[in-house]
Amino acid sequence: MPKIVLGVCGSIAAYRAADLARDLMRAGCEVRVCLTDSAQKFVTPILFETLTGNPCLIDTFDEPERGRMAHLDWARQADLLLIAPASANTINKLANGIGEDMLTTIALAFEGPMMLAPAMNPAMYQHPETQASLNNLVEHGATLIEPTEGDVVAGESGQGKLAGNAEIVGTALALLNRSNLLAGKRVLITSGPTQEPIDSVRFLSNRSSGKMGSALAQAALLMGAEVKVIAGPSMAIYPRNAHVIEVRTAEEMHKAALAELSSCDLAIGAAAVADYRPSNPQEGKIRRSDDAISLDLVPNPDIIAELAKSGKRTVGFAAEPSTDLTVAIAKIQRKGLYAIAHNDVSNRGIGFESDKNQITLIRADGVQETSPLASKLLVALWLLERIAE
Ligand code: PMT
């Protein structure tokens, strides 16, 4: 049974750590909790002791087993150190090697994988010191689950909400069971929508949020790859240790993908690329009149098909409005792909914009397999394990 030390910092989101501990236990992990002083203003040790059946560490000199220094004992026995919610104070201490409470001394003594799921006021999150500390920790191997955007306390809103438990638990399990199938490999991912200008203020686009591309990037990093993402415009937050190239149009995505092709071993097309673009985008703004107007559209380059011509392993996604696999299968042939992930986008609970997905992977040799319906990260890991083999 994998052993997790769950560090809980002072944040209104500390109450969610109770559910998180339970979810980790349901997923088969043993959980031991360490609270910072500030965390105790929001939640109590007895809550976690009752939930987990293990003593909860609070003070730097706590010693549940006499004669054994708990910070060393817990650090040696843990398979994963997960800090959720992680506060700005603890993040900045960790980045600077400061061990001045039980949690930070455990972190200093711990040699395994560390995961951070921050939650705090958006201004504190965006503070240059917090961002520099997070970059530093990620560079040194920590896995960061970025907070989400939304309403936070005190009537403010922005990026600062603790990520969902499913994402935190999914990532923890991925870290614990990670395969290094992609170690030393370079993965190129296209992600998000493209925008095709009609005039200076309008464009043609689609509902892709970039979440699937971001999940693929995170999953590939967890499996040891170097990752480049060519990202169309979206609100998606990509992992900091992925190299992200931002583009707007299909033509820009095409150019960037071809430029990166020689330095990749595996290419994945999760982007929802516009098949057509207005042939003659107008400068300025098209003005209203009572006359009908029409747009002349010309086809965009088929990016994934061009990447596949290189002979490198290339995997596409097929966003289809039904469960019928026929069109997806035809795309494997037409685009010269190793495999395609059929994504039924008529199901509102998966695919475009959703946090979850379910795909059927169809390989060029005809083998088909359907993933579980799960978070996009888990589906991405499922997919990569099958195409990296
Ligand atoms: O971004 P999310 O909100 O998380 O949603 C994820 C998703 C639904 C967008 C994603 O999982 C998905 O299905 N992406 C492919 C969407 C799509 O445009 O499919 P398609 O059937 O039109 O294209 C097939 C393949 O060719 C895709 O790999 C696409 O990236 C690629 N393509 C298509 C057209 C084109 N001009 N160039 C391409 O490379």
mmCIF file of all heavy atoms in Angstrom, residues 8-49:
data_model
loop_
_atom_site.group_PDB
_atom_site.id
_atom_site.type_symbol
_atom_site.label_atom_id
_atom_site.label_comp_id
_atom_site.label_asym_id
_atom_site.label_seq_id
_atom_site.Cartn_x
_atom_site.Cartn_y
_atom_site.Cartn_z
ATOM 1 N N VAL A 8 -0.880 19.874 5.137
ATOM 2 C CA VAL A 8 -2.003 20.813 5.000
ATOM 3 C C VAL A 8 -1.569 22.168 5.564
ATOM 4 O O VAL A 8 -1.116 22.257 6.705
ATOM 5 C CB VAL A 8 -3.248 20.286 5.755
ATOM 6 C CG1 VAL A 8 -4.421 21.252 5.616
ATOM 7 C CG2 VAL A 8 -3.629 18.897 5.250
ATOM 8 N N CYS A 9 -1.701 23.213 4.741
ATOM 9 C CA CYS A 9 -1.283 24.554 5.168
ATOM 10 C C CYS A 9 -2.510 25.414 5.489
ATOM 11 O O CYS A 9 -3.642 25.041 5.184
ATOM 12 C CB CYS A 9 -0.488 25.235 4.062
ATOM 13 S SG CYS A 9 0.945 24.318 3.526
ATOM 14 N N GLY A 10 -2.249 26.593 6.028
ATOM 15 C CA GLY A 10 -3.330 27.514 6.396
ATOM 16 C C GLY A 10 -3.976 28.120 5.170
ATOM 17 O O GLY A 10 -3.335 28.861 4.430
ATOM 18 N N SER A 11 -5.231 27.769 4.954
ATOM 19 C CA SER A 11 -5.980 28.286 3.804
ATOM 20 C C SER A 11 -7.429 27.904 4.059
ATOM 21 O O SER A 11 -7.703 26.889 4.694
ATOM 22 C CB SER A 11 -5.484 27.610 2.522
ATOM 23 O OG SER A 11 -6.486 27.632 1.525
ATOM 24 N N ILE A 12 -8.334 28.693 3.516
ATOM 25 C CA ILE A 12 -9.745 28.335 3.654
ATOM 26 C C ILE A 12 -9.995 26.958 3.023
ATOM 27 O O ILE A 12 -10.881 26.213 3.440
ATOM 28 C CB ILE A 12 -10.659 29.437 3.042
ATOM 29 C CG1 ILE A 12 -12.128 29.184 3.315
ATOM 30 C CG2 ILE A 12 -10.435 29.608 1.565
ATOM 31 C CD1 ILE A 12 -12.527 29.365 4.735
ATOM 32 N N ALA A 13 -9.141 26.604 2.044
ATOM 33 C CA ALA A 13 -9.313 25.301 1.364
ATOM 34 C C ALA A 13 -8.848 24.134 2.237
ATOM 35 O O ALA A 13 -8.972 22.974 1.825
ATOM 36 C CB ALA A 13 -8.558 25.296 0.044
ATOM 37 N N ALA A 14 -8.342 24.420 3.461
ATOM 38 C CA ALA A 14 -7.857 23.326 4.325
ATOM 39 C C ALA A 14 -8.982 22.325 4.621
ATOM 40 O O ALA A 14 -8.732 21.133 4.786
ATOM 41 C CB ALA A 14 -7.293 23.889 5.620
ATOM 42 N N TYR A 15 -10.236 22.836 4.658
ATOM 43 C CA TYR A 15 -11.345 21.908 4.947
ATOM 44 C C TYR A 15 -11.448 20.827 3.876
ATOM 45 O O TYR A 15 -11.893 19.713 4.142
ATOM 46 C CB TYR A 15 -12.678 22.672 5.116
ATOM 47 C CG TYR A 15 -13.333 23.071 3.813
ATOM 48 C CD1 TYR A 15 -14.317 22.269 3.232
ATOM 49 C CD2 TYR A 15 -12.970 24.240 3.153
ATOM 50 C CE1 TYR A 15 -14.915 22.624 2.028
ATOM 51 C CE2 TYR A 15 -13.554 24.594 1.955
ATOM 52 C CZ TYR A 15 -14.521 23.789 1.393
ATOM 53 O OH TYR A 15 -15.098 24.132 0.199
ATOM 54 N N ARG A 16 -11.018 21.167 2.642
ATOM 55 C CA ARG A 16 -11.122 20.181 1.557
ATOM 56 C C ARG A 16 -10.090 19.072 1.679
ATOM 57 O O ARG A 16 -10.193 18.023 1.036
ATOM 58 C CB ARG A 16 -11.012 20.880 0.201
ATOM 59 C CG ARG A 16 -12.303 21.658 -0.111
ATOM 60 C CD ARG A 16 -12.334 22.217 -1.497
ATOM 61 N NE ARG A 16 -11.811 21.293 -2.473
ATOM 62 C CZ ARG A 16 -11.253 21.679 -3.627
ATOM 63 N NH1 ARG A 16 -11.153 22.961 -3.907
ATOM 64 N NH2 ARG A 16 -10.805 20.792 -4.469
ATOM 65 N N ALA A 17 -9.068 19.297 2.519
ATOM 66 C CA ALA A 17 -8.028 18.273 2.700
ATOM 67 C C ALA A 17 -8.613 17.030 3.378
ATOM 68 O O ALA A 17 -8.080 15.925 3.231
ATOM 69 C CB ALA A 17 -6.871 18.833 3.513
ATOM 70 N N ALA A 18 -9.723 17.206 4.133
ATOM 71 C CA ALA A 18 -10.337 16.054 4.803
ATOM 72 C C ALA A 18 -10.885 15.081 3.756
ATOM 73 O O ALA A 18 -10.629 13.875 3.796
ATOM 74 C CB ALA A 18 -11.453 16.527 5.735
ATOM 75 N N ASP A 19 -11.601 15.633 2.790
ATOM 76 C CA ASP A 19 -12.134 14.800 1.697
ATOM 77 C C ASP A 19 -11.006 14.218 0.859
ATOM 78 O O ASP A 19 -11.084 13.088 0.399
ATOM 79 C CB ASP A 19 -13.002 15.659 0.767
ATOM 80 C CG ASP A 19 -14.473 15.471 1.064
ATOM 81 O OD1 ASP A 19 -14.802 14.541 1.813
ATOM 82 O OD2 ASP A 19 -15.270 16.270 0.547
ATOM 83 N N LEU A 20 -9.984 15.033 0.678
ATOM 84 C CA LEU A 20 -8.846 14.582 -0.134
ATOM 85 C C LEU A 20 -8.183 13.365 0.530
ATOM 86 O O LEU A 20 -7.857 12.373 -0.141
ATOM 87 C CB LEU A 20 -7.847 15.735 -0.279
ATOM 88 C CG LEU A 20 -6.626 15.475 -1.133
ATOM 89 C CD1 LEU A 20 -7.024 15.102 -2.570
ATOM 90 C CD2 LEU A 20 -5.723 16.720 -1.160
ATOM 91 N N ALA A 21 -8.022 13.451 1.867
ATOM 92 C CA ALA A 21 -7.421 12.316 2.597
ATOM 93 C C ALA A 21 -8.273 11.063 2.383
ATOM 94 O O ALA A 21 -7.750 9.971 2.120
ATOM 95 C CB ALA A 21 -7.306 12.648 4.080
ATOM 96 N N ARG A 22 -9.597 11.229 2.473
ATOM 97 C CA ARG A 22 -10.499 10.071 2.281
ATOM 98 C C ARG A 22 -10.388 9.530 0.858
ATOM 99 O O ARG A 22 -10.358 8.323 0.635
ATOM 100 C CB ARG A 22 -11.956 10.483 2.542
ATOM 101 C CG ARG A 22 -12.265 10.817 3.958
ATOM 102 C CD ARG A 22 -12.123 9.640 4.884
ATOM 103 N NE ARG A 22 -13.224 8.669 4.753
ATOM 104 C CZ ARG A 22 -13.272 7.524 5.403
ATOM 105 N NH1 ARG A 22 -12.292 7.156 6.199
ATOM 106 N NH2 ARG A 22 -14.299 6.717 5.257
ATOM 107 N N ASP A 23 -10.360 10.433 -0.126
ATOM 108 C CA ASP A 23 -10.283 9.984 -1.529
ATOM 109 C C ASP A 23 -8.974 9.233 -1.784
ATOM 110 O O ASP A 23 -8.951 8.246 -2.518
ATOM 111 C CB ASP A 23 -10.388 11.182 -2.491
ATOM 112 C CG ASP A 23 -11.815 11.724 -2.561
ATOM 113 O OD1 ASP A 23 -12.736 11.041 -2.067
ATOM 114 O OD2 ASP A 23 -12.003 12.828 -3.089
ATOM 115 N N LEU A 24 -7.897 9.697 -1.168
ATOM 116 C CA LEU A 24 -6.611 8.999 -1.345
ATOM 117 C C LEU A 24 -6.674 7.611 -0.707
ATOM 118 O O LEU A 24 -6.149 6.629 -1.241
ATOM 119 C CB LEU A 24 -5.472 9.812 -0.723
ATOM 120 C CG LEU A 24 -5.109 11.102 -1.466
ATOM 121 C CD1 LEU A 24 -4.260 12.020 -0.585
ATOM 122 C CD2 LEU A 24 -4.352 10.793 -2.759
ATOM 123 N N MET A 25 -7.359 7.541 0.453
ATOM 124 C CA MET A 25 -7.502 6.232 1.117
ATOM 125 C C MET A 25 -8.371 5.306 0.276
ATOM 126 O O MET A 25 -8.070 4.124 0.115
ATOM 127 C CB MET A 25 -8.090 6.411 2.524
ATOM 128 C CG MET A 25 -7.098 7.083 3.471
ATOM 129 S SD MET A 25 -7.882 7.682 4.964
ATOM 130 C CE MET A 25 -8.266 6.154 5.780
ATOM 131 N N ARG A 26 -9.452 5.866 -0.291
ATOM 132 C CA ARG A 26 -10.325 5.048 -1.171
ATOM 133 C C ARG A 26 -9.544 4.528 -2.364
ATOM 134 O O ARG A 26 -9.835 3.464 -2.896
ATOM 135 C CB ARG A 26 -11.500 5.871 -1.686
ATOM 136 C CG ARG A 26 -12.606 5.972 -0.678
ATOM 137 C CD ARG A 26 -13.867 6.597 -1.275
ATOM 138 N NE ARG A 26 -14.650 7.128 -0.179
ATOM 139 C CZ ARG A 26 -14.735 8.407 0.139
ATOM 140 N NH1 ARG A 26 -14.143 9.325 -0.590
ATOM 141 N NH2 ARG A 26 -15.434 8.790 1.186
ATOM 142 N N ALA A 27 -8.544 5.288 -2.794
ATOM 143 C CA ALA A 27 -7.739 4.877 -3.954
ATOM 144 C C ALA A 27 -6.649 3.892 -3.536
ATOM 145 O O ALA A 27 -5.807 3.525 -4.356
ATOM 146 C CB ALA A 27 -7.133 6.102 -4.618
ATOM 147 N N GLY A 28 -6.657 3.496 -2.257
ATOM 148 C CA GLY A 28 -5.741 2.438 -1.819
ATOM 149 C C GLY A 28 -4.463 2.929 -1.162
ATOM 150 O O GLY A 28 -3.510 2.149 -1.003
ATOM 151 N N CYS A 29 -4.423 4.198 -0.757
ATOM 152 C CA CYS A 29 -3.194 4.723 -0.145
ATOM 153 C C CYS A 29 -3.349 4.809 1.382
ATOM 154 O O CYS A 29 -4.452 4.995 1.890
ATOM 155 C CB CYS A 29 -2.906 6.135 -0.652
ATOM 156 S SG CYS A 29 -2.797 6.217 -2.442
ATOM 157 N N GLU A 30 -2.213 4.696 2.082
ATOM 158 C CA GLU A 30 -2.215 5.006 3.509
ATOM 159 C C GLU A 30 -1.848 6.479 3.636
ATOM 160 O O GLU A 30 -0.884 6.933 3.006
ATOM 161 C CB GLU A 30 -1.195 4.145 4.254
ATOM 162 C CG GLU A 30 -1.285 4.392 5.749
ATOM 163 C CD GLU A 30 -0.155 3.746 6.534
ATOM 164 O OE1 GLU A 30 0.256 2.618 6.189
ATOM 165 O OE2 GLU A 30 0.303 4.407 7.479
ATOM 166 N N VAL A 31 -2.626 7.213 4.421
ATOM 167 C CA VAL A 31 -2.400 8.661 4.505
ATOM 168 C C VAL A 31 -2.032 9.062 5.928
ATOM 169 O O VAL A 31 -2.687 8.652 6.897
ATOM 170 C CB VAL A 31 -3.670 9.434 4.061
ATOM 171 C CG1 VAL A 31 -3.454 10.943 4.153
ATOM 172 C CG2 VAL A 31 -4.048 9.049 2.628
ATOM 173 N N ARG A 32 -0.960 9.839 6.035
ATOM 174 C CA ARG A 32 -0.585 10.446 7.313
ATOM 175 C C ARG A 32 -0.583 11.947 7.094
ATOM 176 O O ARG A 32 -0.052 12.419 6.081
ATOM 177 C CB ARG A 32 0.819 10.025 7.709
ATOM 178 C CG ARG A 32 0.934 8.564 8.053
ATOM 179 C CD ARG A 32 2.403 8.221 8.138
ATOM 180 N NE ARG A 32 2.623 7.075 8.973
ATOM 181 C CZ ARG A 32 3.819 6.716 9.423
ATOM 182 N NH1 ARG A 32 4.889 7.424 9.127
ATOM 183 N NH2 ARG A 32 3.957 5.652 10.185
ATOM 184 N N VAL A 33 -1.134 12.695 8.044
ATOM 185 C CA VAL A 33 -1.326 14.131 7.821
ATOM 186 C C VAL A 33 -0.421 14.948 8.748
ATOM 187 O O VAL A 33 -0.246 14.617 9.920
ATOM 188 C CB VAL A 33 -2.813 14.505 8.043
ATOM 189 C CG1 VAL A 33 -3.030 16.015 7.877
ATOM 190 C CG2 VAL A 33 -3.696 13.737 7.051
ATOM 191 N N CYS A 34 0.139 16.003 8.177
ATOM 192 C CA CYS A 34 0.918 16.961 8.966
ATOM 193 C C CYS A 34 0.307 18.342 8.755
ATOM 194 O O CYS A 34 0.144 18.778 7.608
ATOM 195 C CB CYS A 34 2.371 16.930 8.484
ATOM 196 S SG CYS A 34 3.388 18.171 9.286
ATOM 197 N N LEU A 35 -0.060 18.988 9.852
ATOM 198 C CA LEU A 35 -0.683 20.320 9.746
ATOM 199 C C LEU A 35 0.322 21.402 10.121
ATOM 200 O O LEU A 35 1.083 21.244 11.079
ATOM 201 C CB LEU A 35 -1.859 20.434 10.729
ATOM 202 C CG LEU A 35 -3.030 19.461 10.595
ATOM 203 C CD1 LEU A 35 -4.078 19.775 11.662
ATOM 204 C CD2 LEU A 35 -3.647 19.574 9.222
ATOM 205 N N THR A 36 0.316 22.507 9.380
ATOM 206 C CA THR A 36 1.118 23.654 9.827
ATOM 207 C C THR A 36 0.331 24.365 10.938
ATOM 208 O O THR A 36 -0.866 24.106 11.139
ATOM 209 C CB THR A 36 1.371 24.661 8.682
ATOM 210 O OG1 THR A 36 0.119 25.196 8.270
ATOM 211 C CG2 THR A 36 2.087 23.996 7.514
ATOM 212 N N ASP A 37 1.018 25.298 11.616
ATOM 213 C CA ASP A 37 0.336 26.055 12.679
ATOM 214 C C ASP A 37 -0.901 26.754 12.136
ATOM 215 O O ASP A 37 -1.974 26.720 12.746
ATOM 216 C CB ASP A 37 1.281 27.131 13.248
ATOM 217 C CG ASP A 37 2.214 26.539 14.289
ATOM 218 O OD1 ASP A 37 1.984 25.369 14.685
ATOM 219 O OD2 ASP A 37 3.184 27.226 14.662
ATOM 220 N N SER A 38 -0.745 27.375 10.952
ATOM 221 C CA SER A 38 -1.887 28.134 10.416
ATOM 222 C C SER A 38 -3.014 27.203 9.998
ATOM 223 O O SER A 38 -4.184 27.574 10.081
ATOM 224 C CB SER A 38 -1.506 28.976 9.216
ATOM 225 O OG SER A 38 -0.240 29.488 9.344
ATOM 226 N N ALA A 39 -2.682 26.004 9.540
ATOM 227 C CA ALA A 39 -3.743 25.058 9.144
ATOM 228 C C ALA A 39 -4.663 24.780 10.329
ATOM 229 O O ALA A 39 -5.875 24.606 10.164
ATOM 230 C CB ALA A 39 -3.125 23.769 8.620
ATOM 231 N N GLN A 40 -4.060 24.774 11.540
ATOM 232 C CA GLN A 40 -4.876 24.449 12.717
ATOM 233 C C GLN A 40 -5.899 25.511 13.062
ATOM 234 O O GLN A 40 -6.788 25.285 13.884
ATOM 235 C CB GLN A 40 -3.964 24.263 13.931
ATOM 236 C CG GLN A 40 -3.179 22.976 13.863
ATOM 237 C CD GLN A 40 -2.266 22.899 15.038
ATOM 238 O OE1 GLN A 40 -2.709 22.601 16.140
ATOM 239 N NE2 GLN A 40 -1.013 23.219 14.817
ATOM 240 N N LYS A 41 -5.751 26.694 12.444
ATOM 241 C CA LYS A 41 -6.791 27.718 12.656
ATOM 242 C C LYS A 41 -8.054 27.342 11.871
ATOM 243 O O LYS A 41 -9.124 27.875 12.122
ATOM 244 C CB LYS A 41 -6.309 29.095 12.181
ATOM 245 C CG LYS A 41 -4.977 29.520 12.732
ATOM 246 C CD LYS A 41 -5.134 30.217 14.055
ATOM 247 C CE LYS A 41 -3.770 30.737 14.539
ATOM 248 N NZ LYS A 41 -3.680 30.791 15.966
ATOM 249 N N PHE A 42 -7.896 26.469 10.879
ATOM 250 C CA PHE A 42 -9.039 26.101 10.018
ATOM 251 C C PHE A 42 -9.542 24.684 10.296
ATOM 252 O O PHE A 42 -10.725 24.417 10.176
ATOM 253 C CB PHE A 42 -8.632 26.179 8.533
ATOM 254 C CG PHE A 42 -8.257 27.555 8.074
ATOM 255 C CD1 PHE A 42 -6.948 28.000 8.162
ATOM 256 C CD2 PHE A 42 -9.218 28.418 7.565
ATOM 257 C CE1 PHE A 42 -6.597 29.270 7.741
ATOM 258 C CE2 PHE A 42 -8.874 29.692 7.137
ATOM 259 C CZ PHE A 42 -7.559 30.124 7.231
ATOM 260 N N VAL A 43 -8.626 23.764 10.588
ATOM 261 C CA VAL A 43 -9.005 22.359 10.801
ATOM 262 C C VAL A 43 -8.226 21.808 11.990
ATOM 263 O O VAL A 43 -7.199 22.364 12.376
ATOM 264 C CB VAL A 43 -8.694 21.494 9.540
ATOM 265 C CG1 VAL A 43 -9.665 21.752 8.410
ATOM 266 C CG2 VAL A 43 -7.264 21.714 9.060
ATOM 267 N N THR A 44 -8.706 20.689 12.546
ATOM 268 C CA THR A 44 -8.066 20.185 13.768
ATOM 269 C C THR A 44 -7.377 18.839 13.521
ATOM 270 O O THR A 44 -7.792 18.068 12.644
ATOM 271 C CB THR A 44 -9.119 19.949 14.874
ATOM 272 O OG1 THR A 44 -10.026 18.957 14.393
ATOM 273 C CG2 THR A 44 -9.882 21.208 15.217
ATOM 274 N N PRO A 45 -6.351 18.542 14.322
ATOM 275 C CA PRO A 45 -5.663 17.248 14.188
ATOM 276 C C PRO A 45 -6.620 16.077 14.370
ATOM 277 O O PRO A 45 -6.526 15.069 13.674
ATOM 278 C CB PRO A 45 -4.625 17.257 15.307
ATOM 279 C CG PRO A 45 -4.474 18.683 15.696
ATOM 280 C CD PRO A 45 -5.726 19.403 15.329
ATOM 281 N N ILE A 46 -7.582 16.256 15.286
ATOM 282 C CA ILE A 46 -8.463 15.119 15.592
ATOM 283 C C ILE A 46 -9.305 14.721 14.376
ATOM 284 O O ILE A 46 -9.615 13.547 14.168
ATOM 285 C CB ILE A 46 -9.331 15.410 16.842
ATOM 286 C CG1 ILE A 46 -9.925 14.106 17.360
ATOM 287 C CG2 ILE A 46 -10.433 16.392 16.580
ATOM 288 C CD1 ILE A 46 -10.103 14.081 18.842
ATOM 289 N N LEU A 47 -9.635 15.702 13.552
ATOM 290 C CA LEU A 47 -10.382 15.412 12.317
ATOM 291 C C LEU A 47 -9.586 14.425 11.462
ATOM 292 O O LEU A 47 -10.110 13.392 11.019
ATOM 293 C CB LEU A 47 -10.594 16.727 11.543
ATOM 294 C CG LEU A 47 -11.088 16.621 10.105
ATOM 295 C CD1 LEU A 47 -12.520 16.107 10.055
ATOM 296 C CD2 LEU A 47 -11.023 17.991 9.419
ATOM 297 N N PHE A 48 -8.313 14.713 11.263
ATOM 298 C CA PHE A 48 -7.504 13.865 10.384
ATOM 299 C C PHE A 48 -7.125 12.548 11.070
ATOM 300 O O PHE A 48 -7.012 11.518 10.409
ATOM 301 C CB PHE A 48 -6.264 14.636 9.911
ATOM 302 C CG PHE A 48 -6.627 15.753 8.979
ATOM 303 C CD1 PHE A 48 -6.702 17.059 9.426
ATOM 304 C CD2 PHE A 48 -6.946 15.483 7.656
ATOM 305 C CE1 PHE A 48 -7.071 18.078 8.564
ATOM 306 C CE2 PHE A 48 -7.312 16.496 6.780
ATOM 307 C CZ PHE A 48 -7.378 17.796 7.245
ATOM 308 N N GLU A 49 -6.927 12.601 12.392
ATOM 309 C CA GLU A 49 -6.593 11.352 13.096
ATOM 310 C C GLU A 49 -7.766 10.378 13.018
ATOM 311 O O GLU A 49 -7.594 9.180 12.800
ATOM 312 C CB GLU A 49 -6.207 11.649 14.545
ATOM 313 C CG GLU A 49 -4.852 12.337 14.587
ATOM 314 C CD GLU A 49 -4.347 12.680 15.973
ATOM 315 O OE1 GLU A 49 -5.132 12.567 16.943
ATOM 316 O OE2 GLU A 49 -3.175 13.066 16.090
#
